[in-house]
Every structure is written in structure tokens, then in C-alpha cells.
Amino acid sequence: MHDRSSLILAVDIGGSKVASGFVDSTGNASHIGKFMWDSYDTQHVLERLSETVRRLLSAAPRQPDAIGFTIPGLADPARGMWLGASYMGIHNIPLKASMEQEFGMPVFLENDTNACCLAEKLFGCAKDCDDFLYLTVSNGVGGAFFLDDKLYYGAHGFAGEYGMCVVKEGGVRLENDRIAGSLEMYASGRGIVRNYLEAGGNGTIDGEPASGIGISAMAERGEPAALRAFELEGYYIGKVIAAACNLLDPALVIIGGGLSLAFDKFLPSLDSTMQKEHYHLEHYRDLLDIVPTALGYNGGLYGAASVALLGLETDASKKLGYRG
């Protein structure tokens, strides 16, 4: 699909950290590093991203063919705009134009979950699949649809907002959110901590504040509160996946994000919920695969590389639906 000699400088922008490195078109990743944000001021964000690119270029094995960015929040790939990430105070940054002017090479960007979905098609679990759903569960919950061999954006570019699906009527509302009882409220990294504490778990685990990693460790030890938290995790995610599968009939569902590393702990509950809420599951479950991402913590880097690889190739980009 693409030139196997391509080398991409990939930058995965997250809400708390930025990961960066090189990814070539055969899937080899190198020079991977990260830093944590210390400020969300727009000028500071641009300066830190420029510093990251300059640092990588100084260590590059050869001149990269392009730079790829994943963007938290809203992106306009066609115009190269980072439209907004409200919790970061980011609005309407012309990231593509700014970086191309500074570094003199093609720059491509895409919303992080759309990018990770494309990465699953190019490098991950969905190489041979034309219809799949991608769901990421981390500090937030998002995702994307890949349908009829194309990334599906929807009429206004907002498709894939699994996190805004209501899983608990009359439930708790996220701060500054008008939707109560959302999947993001109950199944994100914050949600699993909340469920754990409500089930009687401790606020600290091994001397650290309770987190998804710590709760996973407690589940390994058989702690009832941790086991209950993962049972609820599978239940809430299963409700949304079942609804999406009833509507879209995919062959595959891929779960990414940090909580995918604990996939085995919430799969039984997810499967049980699917059994109850998927209309065709009696005949369909053997046809539907639900798997964790094979790209692990580097999924975002592969996503950034994927949008750049597709951006460099107009025909491949159009075939897979990428709008860059």
C-alpha cells in the first residue's frame, strides 16, 4: 500500500504527556521518548512540540519523509488545524502550517482515536479486516469506526464518540459535561477508580493513589473491590459495544488505551453483557472477535505515523477514507 522505505517522525500528543519517535513503513519504531506537560498555554505547547521535533531530527538515522501528529480533541486534517481540546485551553492552532514553515517537510495530523484506528488497519489487528470498531479506554473514552474498508467520519466529523453514550440513567455527570451517566464517567481511568472506591477499595495502593494499574494489581491478588471494579468495567463497555454491534455489524472490535492492558480482567463481564444485550449474539459471537490492541503503549505513535504515511499517498489515503 505504501513505499516501504518511508520514515515518519511521529508525535503522539496526549492530555498529560507527549510521546515521540520514528516509525518506518514496515512498522519498526525507534528513538521513542516522552515528556509530561507542565503547562497548556498555546505558545508553550507549540514551543515544546517544536523542541521535540528538533531533538528527534538531530538523532534521525536519515531525513524523515514527513511528520505525523495525533491530536487530542477536535482536528481538521484537511486544513491541518488543531481545532480544540477544551481541557487544555487549545483552540484553532494551525499546527500543519506552523510546523511545515519551521521544518520544511510535509506535516499531517488527525484526531488521536481516528489515527489509532488507521494504525490498527496498517500495523495492528485489523490488517485483513474491512469492518471493525476501535474503542480506546484511558483517561477518557473515545473511538472510531472503520466501515466498508474506510475510516468513517460521519456527516460532521464527530463519529466514534463512544464515551458520550449513556450507560447509567440518572448517573453522575462529568465536570463541565452536559451528559450524565456517560461511559466516560463510568469506565475511563477515572471511572474505574471511582467504582473501586465505591466498592470499598482503599484510596492508596502500595503507597500510591489508586489507579488503573494499582487496581489491576489488587485484582490479581483477589481483592473483592478490585474484582468488582473490573466487573463493572466490562459491564459498561459491553453495553456500548453491544449497541454499536447491533447497529453496525462489524467483524472485529479492538480495545486500545491503557486499560486494554487489563483486558483479561474485564472480558468475562463484557462477554456476559454482550450475551444479554446483543440481538444476534447467539449466532454472532463466533463471528465477532473482541481483542485488545496489539500495538500496546505505542499505539499513538503508530497512529501518528499512519496518518503521515497515508497523507503522502493520495490513492491510499482516499481508499482508507483519511481526510488529510
Side-chain angles (χ1 to χ4, degrees), residues 29 49 101 104 121 125 185 188 191 229 235 248 267 315:
L49 293 177
Q101 181 177 8
K121 180 64 177 177
C125 300
M185 180 71 245
S188 66
Y235 168 70
L248 299 172
L267 179 61
D315 290 343

Side-chain angles (χ1 to χ4, degrees), residues 140-179:
V141 177
F145 304 138
F146 196 87
L147 304 173
D148 196 21
D149 206 22
K150 289 184 179 181
L151 184 63
Y152 179 74
Y153 284 88
H156 308 99
F158 302 147
E161 290 291 352
Y162 300 89
M164 295 301 101
C165 294
V166 174
V167 294
K168 191 169 185 177
E169 292 291 341
V172 177
R173 191 187 309 270
L174 283 167
E175 184 180 358
N176 300 323
D177 198 341
R178 57 190 182 82
I179 299 175

Side-chain angles (χ1 to χ4, degrees), residues 19 26 78 91 147 152 184 198 258 274-275 279 289:
T26 65
H91 300 285
L147 304 173
Y152 179 74
E184 185 160 305
E198 288 188 350
M274 290 283 292
Q275 289 281 356
Y279 181 65
D289 287 326

Side-chain angles (χ1 to χ4, degrees), residues 49-261:
L49 293 177
S50 292
E51 289 171 9
T52 297
V53 172
R54 284 195 296 271
R55 175 183 56 79
L56 280 169
L57 287 174
S58 70
R62 61 181 175 83
Q63 178 70 9
D65 296 281
I67 303 171
F69 289 93
T70 64
I71 302 301
L74 299 177
D76 182 341
R79 294 192 297 140
M81 295 289 295
W82 186 356
L83 296 179
S86 57
Y87 62 92
M88 296 177 74
I90 297 295
H91 300 285
N92 296 316
I93 295 179
L95 187 61
K96 175 181 174 72
S98 173
M99 292 292 164
E100 286 186 342
Q101 181 177 8
E102 181 172 359
F103 297 107
M105 68 180 72
V107 172
F108 302 92
L109 60 88
E110 176 59 282
N111 164 266
D112 48 8
T113 51
N114 284 343
C116 287
C117 182
L118 290 170
E120 295 293 345
K121 180 64 177 177
L122 295 187
F123 298 111
C125 300
K127 291 179 181 177
D128 301 315
C129 186
D130 293 342
D131 296 275
F132 67 93
L133 311 182
Y134 176 79
L135 177 72
T136 183
V137 187
S138 189
N139 289 331
V141 177
F145 304 138
F146 196 87
L147 304 173
D148 196 21
D149 206 22
K150 289 184 179 181
L151 184 63
Y152 179 74
Y153 284 88
H156 308 99
F158 302 147
E161 290 291 352
Y162 300 89
M164 295 301 101
C165 294
V166 174
V167 294
K168 191 169 185 177
E169 292 291 341
V172 177
R173 191 187 309 270
L174 283 167
E175 184 180 358
N176 300 323
D177 198 341
R178 57 190 182 82
I179 299 175
S182 69
L183 181 65
E184 185 160 305
M185 180 71 245
Y186 284 92
S188 66
R190 295 167 291 173
I192 196 170
V193 170
R194 185 177 182 278
N195 295 335
Y196 172 70
L197 297 176
E198 288 188 350
N202 294 318
T204 59
I205 299 174
D206 297 331
E208 298 290 334
S211 66
I213 293 174
I215 295 168
S216 180
M218 295 307 292
E220 292 280 358
R221 302 172 198 173
E223 185 196 46
L227 295 174
R228 175 59 176 162
F230 279 108
E231 181 183 10
L232 288 170
E233 186 75 8
Y235 168 70
Y236 292 129
I237 293 174
K239 283 180 71 69
V240 172
I241 290 178
C245 289
N246 281 333
L247 290 170
L248 299 172
D249 186 27
L252 173 67
V253 177
I254 303 170
I255 298 179
L259 282 170
S260 69
L261 300 176

